[in-house]
Amino acid sequence: MAETKQAARAQRPLSPHLQIYRPMLSMTMSITHRITGVALYAGSLLLVWWFAAAAQSDAYFDLVQAFFAHWFGRLILFGFTWALIHHALGGLRHFVWDMGKGFKLTSVEWMVRANLVGSIVLTLLLWAVAYGVKS
């Protein structure tokens, strides 16, 4: 009995793996969508930190504000902004697919490229507007 199970396992085809597939932009964007989801979860902890500092004291809130005003804090906020926009646009792309549309290879490639370019452009535009309003 054990021999027949081993023989059956030996005859099964192997599942395709990343080593077999040629990396495509849509594959990379799928992985990036998952990574941005994790980054948004971690970034939400920064928002909680900011709210908690505001509730605790003026001095602690000033400390947190100074962290976010520093170049490293702004870099984190910029990355969080990009992750938020990228993940939202990716969610819209998946919503279109859930409706059964956009499955042609040309449509898939167009939506993937639009997601990438759109997230970069919208992030830069949002930060430019924010700096314009600030000054």
Side-chain angles (χ1 to χ4, degrees), residues 3-14:
E3 292 175 11
T4 58
K5 284 185 180 180
Q6 287 178 345
R9 284 186 189 155
Q11 293 175 357
R12 284 192 212 160
L14 293 176

Side-chain angles (χ1 to χ4, degrees), residues 75-117:
L75 183 66
I76 290 172
L77 290 175
F78 185 82
F80 182 77
T81 306
W82 175 79
L84 181 64
I85 293 172
H86 179 81
H87 198 79
L89 292 177
L92 291 174
R93 181 170 43 101
H94 282 275
F95 181 68
V96 170
W97 288 341
D98 287 345
M99 291 189 305
K101 310 270 189 222
F103 286 119
K104 290 183 183 176
L105 189 56
T106 56
S107 298
V108 169
E109 286 296 315
W110 182 87
M111 286 193 297
V112 164
R113 290 175 197 273
N115 187 5
L116 181 60
V117 172

Side-chain angles (χ1 to χ4, degrees), residues 5-86:
K5 284 185 180 180
Q6 287 178 345
R9 284 186 189 155
Q11 293 175 357
R12 284 192 212 160
L14 293 176
S15 177
H17 194 264
L18 291 174
Q19 297 168 342
I20 296 172
Y21 287 119
R22 179 178 59 92
M24 297 173 54
L25 186 59
S26 59
M27 178 191 306
T28 306
M29 293 297 280
S30 176
I31 294 167
T32 305
H33 186 76
R34 289 172 175 85
I35 292 170
T36 56
V38 172
L40 290 174
Y41 181 78
S44 66
L45 296 176
L46 293 174
L47 184 64
V48 169
W49 182 40
W50 188 69
F51 283 140
Q56 189 169 351
S57 70
D58 288 340
Y60 190 56
F61 183 70
D62 290 340
L63 175 76
V64 174
Q65 284 289 88
F67 172 77
F68 287 126
H70 189 264
W71 70 267
F72 185 69
R74 293 207 181 183
L75 183 66
I76 290 172
L77 290 175
F78 185 82
F80 182 77
T81 306
W82 175 79
L84 181 64
I85 293 172
H86 179 81

